[in-house]
Amino acid sequence: EVQLVESGGGLVQPGGSLRLSCAASGFTFSNYAMMWVRQAPGKGLEWVSGISGSGGSTYNVDSVKGRFTISRDNSKNTLFLQMNSLRAEDTAVYYCAKLMGYASGTYLDYWGQGTLVTVSS
Amino acid sequence: DIQMTQSPSTLSASVGDRVTITCRASQSISDWLAWYQQKPGKAPNLLIYRASNLESGVPSRFGGSGSGTEFTLTISSLQPDDFATYYCQQYYSFWTFGRGTKVEVK
């Protein structure tokens, strides 16, 4: 059974940093691309960052370029999102999701339960 | 960037109704489209991929169609468990979600 468990969310001040983690199990982690998707309170879904199975290719939505960094440790089956220079508009539930393929160009077939990030003074 | 426009934003329906949700892409995406269902406080759940392929375990009352720029999600006979928000997503060029359609009780 595929499981994705996020952690690391919380309250942070504007300009601060936070690191999210996603522990994966139930599939060969290194064979699949992964993604972070966020959902602001009462709003829709927005993809944030994606990474290929090897970690050699990464993708970021324009609004987080230069601030967020996605990475993975295939030896520990774990996905990360380092978030720096956080803004109020980054407040959201952040979901870790598995892509169906090795790289971009595919859909999300499994999602974690999400972790809430709140940016506020 | 590819934009995805979903309609309607809210849909009021009764159990047993046939429900149709439309998603339009700002450029052709072939059939690289997925549909997800999300219930309050829960993560989204994959329903349909490649525009018309039903994900394993998803009830057959859900169906998807379309290609190019126009797509539809149809629920043939709405069940109590189907009241939720539905999102389309293109994966032709990176990823873009539609703004969602909330299916509520009429």
Side-chain angles (χ1 to χ4, degrees):
Chain A
E1 179 192 5
V2 172
Q3 285 197 319
L4 301 169
V5 180
E6 301 96 334
S7 60
L11 174 64
V12 61
Q13 292 187 339
S17 298
L18 212 54
R19 190 193 199 202
L20 305 183
S21 299
C22 172
S25 61
F27 63 102
T28 304
F29 185 65
S30 59
N31 284 357
Y32 295 93
M34 299 292 293
M35 178 182 289
W36 290 98
V37 177
R38 67 185 177 185
Q39 186 169 36
K43 302 297 183 182
L45 302 167
E46 179 188 35
W47 81 274
V48 175
S49 298
I51 188 167
S52 63
S54 67
S57 297
T58 60
Y59 323 92
N60 293 286
V61 71
D62 285 347
S63 59
V64 308
K65 283 180 180 176
R67 300 190 299 123
F68 291 10
T69 302
I70 188 171
S71 62
R72 63 193 297 161
D73 184 339
N74 286 346
S75 69
K76 296 183 179 178
N77 291 351
T78 305
L79 177 72
F80 302 101
L81 185 67
Q82 178 66 45
M83 303 186 294
N84 299 330
S85 302
L86 282 160
R87 306 166 180 168
E89 55 265 36
D90 295 319
T91 294
V93 173
Y94 285 73
Y95 294 102
C96 162
K98 170 185 170 292
L99 279 84
M100 183 54 190
Y102 183 77
S104 65
T106 186
Y107 55 91
L108 310 173
D109 58 351
Y110 289 95
W111 300 62
Q113 84 288 349
T115 187
L116 177 62
V117 172
T118 304
V119 184
S120 175
S121 54
Chain B
D1 292 3
I2 298 175
Q3 306 302 316
M4 303 301 293
T5 303
Q6 253 182 272
S7 61
S9 56
T10 305
L11 189 160
S12 299
S14 301
V15 171
D17 284 353
R18 181 180 181 87
V19 167
T20 299
I21 298 168
T22 298
C23 186
R24 179 180 292 111
S26 59
Q27 67 182 73
S28 178
I29 59 170
S30 184
D31 59 358
W32 302 112
L33 184 104
W35 289 96
Y36 302 87
Q37 176 194 67
Q38 186 180 34
K39 296 180 179 178
K42 300 294 186 182
N45 182 53
L46 175 67
L47 298 175
I48 303 280
Y49 62 93
R50 201 82 185 264
S52 60
N53 291 272
L54 198 66
E55 173 69 351
S56 176
V58 174
S60 59
R61 62 181 179 272
F62 291 94
S65 64
S67 67
T69 61
E70 297 280 339
F71 302 87
T72 58
L73 173 70
T74 301
I75 309 173
S76 60
S77 178
L78 194 67
Q79 298 302 301
D81 192 48
D82 301 338
F83 292 98
T85 300
Y86 295 84
Y87 294 92
C88 63
Q89 180 213 25
Q90 68 82 17
Y91 49 99
Y92 175 82
S93 174
F94 295 105
W95 305 269
T96 314
F97 291 92
R99 298 187 113 178
T101 295
K102 182 178 181 180
V103 177
E104 64 179 22
V105 177
K106 187 173 183 179

